[in-house]
Amino acid sequence: MDNVTITIDPAKPIRSLSYKTIYKIKKLIKIIKDKPDVTNNELMKIFKLKHSSIWRLRQLAVEYRYATREEIYPTKFHVETPKVVEPVIDISEWLKGLPDEEVKPVLQTQTTTTELDTLLDTRHSTYGTFMGQAALSQAIKKVINERLKGKDHKFEPDQLEALSMIAHKIARVVNGDPDYVDSWRDIAGYAQLVADRLEGRVR
């Protein structure tokens, strides 16, 4: 190999490069001169090096004066640059300055509130006031729970849940419309689920 003259920047500490590294640097310079638009991904395949090592070779070539910065970065604005990750910003910042008509979530919330009011009004006409139904339901459940404390037999989760839901449905019938057939069907349905499980049909 030809004698190598290394010019060191006095402002930087003196470092020694192996002949293997010098060979890679000179090979890199030759490739770049032959193909100025070569990408780092292509160089990674040629040298079998990581992306960071390719950048390091470019930097060493300039630092040790094997090539000028213009030569080693002939397409400095074309050389691959890391992708910029957009910072996550608070939604309030994103909404600033937007026209009112573009802020659709507010309109959606108003629509949802109206639909919810309609639903609650319908439920009130069927089940009575929620406060009345809740008070009656809790009273029934309190009696059941008091009786369960003295029982030696362990109740299964589905039995306890069925009793709770049946108490809930009974309160709806008594507090609201007794002719609303779905309430009666629900009571029968919860009881049927437990009965089916006891007979080996789990669903």
Side-chain angles (χ1 to χ4, degrees):
M1 179 178 288
D2 298 336
N3 291 333
V4 177
T5 301
I6 301 177
T7 303
I8 305 296
D9 186 339
K12 296 180 180 178
I14 296 176
R15 294 171 294 179
S16 60
L17 294 178
S18 66
Y19 279 98
K20 185 176 181 181
T21 302
I22 295 172
Y23 171 77
K24 288 180 181 178
I25 293 173
K26 288 192 171 184
K27 183 178 179 180
L28 172 69
I29 295 170
K30 185 178 186 305
I31 293 172
I32 292 176
K33 286 183 177 180
D34 292 340
K35 187 181 179 184
D37 61 346
V38 63
T39 66
N40 277 359
N41 285 338
E42 293 173 323
L43 292 173
M44 286 166 61
K45 293 178 182 178
I46 294 172
F47 287 94
K48 295 181 174 58
L49 293 174
K50 295 180 179 178
H51 193 271
S52 59
S53 298
I54 297 298
W55 278 111
R56 184 60 183 152
L57 281 178
R58 288 179 181 265
Q59 184 180 357
L60 288 174
V62 176
E63 286 182 359
Y64 284 87
R65 304 298 190 269
Y66 292 111
T68 65
R69 179 166 294 276
E70 289 71 22
E71 288 173 330
I72 203 65
Y73 298 106
T75 54
K76 59 181 178 180
F77 295 109
H78 180 75
V79 174
E80 295 172 305
T81 55
K83 292 183 179 178
V84 178
V85 179
E86 292 294 333
V88 178
I89 60 174
D90 184 77
I91 187 65
S92 60
E93 292 296 321
W94 179 74
L95 289 174
K96 283 182 179 178
L98 291 180
D100 292 339
E101 59 269 25
E102 293 296 328
V103 187
K104 295 182 180 178
V106 175
L107 298 179
Q108 183 61 42
T109 301
Q110 293 173 347
T111 302
T112 304
T113 302
T114 301
E115 292 175 352
L116 179 59
D117 285 338
T118 302
L119 176 62
L120 293 178
D121 288 342
T122 302
R123 293 293 176 87
H124 175 266
S125 63
T126 303
Y127 305 126
T129 65
F130 179 62
M131 283 296 293
Q133 185 266 324
L136 183 54
S137 176
Q138 291 299 311
I140 297 172
K141 291 176 184 179
K142 183 177 181 181
V143 173
I144 293 174
N145 291 332
E146 288 295 327
R147 291 300 180 95
L148 288 177
K149 290 179 182 178
K151 299 281 291 185
D152 293 331
H153 182 77
K154 180 182 178 182
F155 280 64
E156 294 298 327
D158 64 332
Q159 293 173 321
L160 292 173
E161 183 67 12
L163 288 173
S164 177
M165 293 306 298
I166 289 172
H168 179 78
K169 299 297 180 179
I170 290 174
R172 281 187 166 184
V173 170
V174 176
N175 189 66
D177 182 3
D179 295 330
Y180 186 61
V181 68
D182 282 353
S183 294
W184 296 99
R185 285 174 177 160
D186 288 342
I187 292 172
Y190 285 113
Q192 188 64 52
L193 286 172
V194 175
D196 286 347
R197 195 266 300 169
L198 293 173
E199 292 178 347
R201 185 186 180 190
V202 179
R203 58 176 175 173

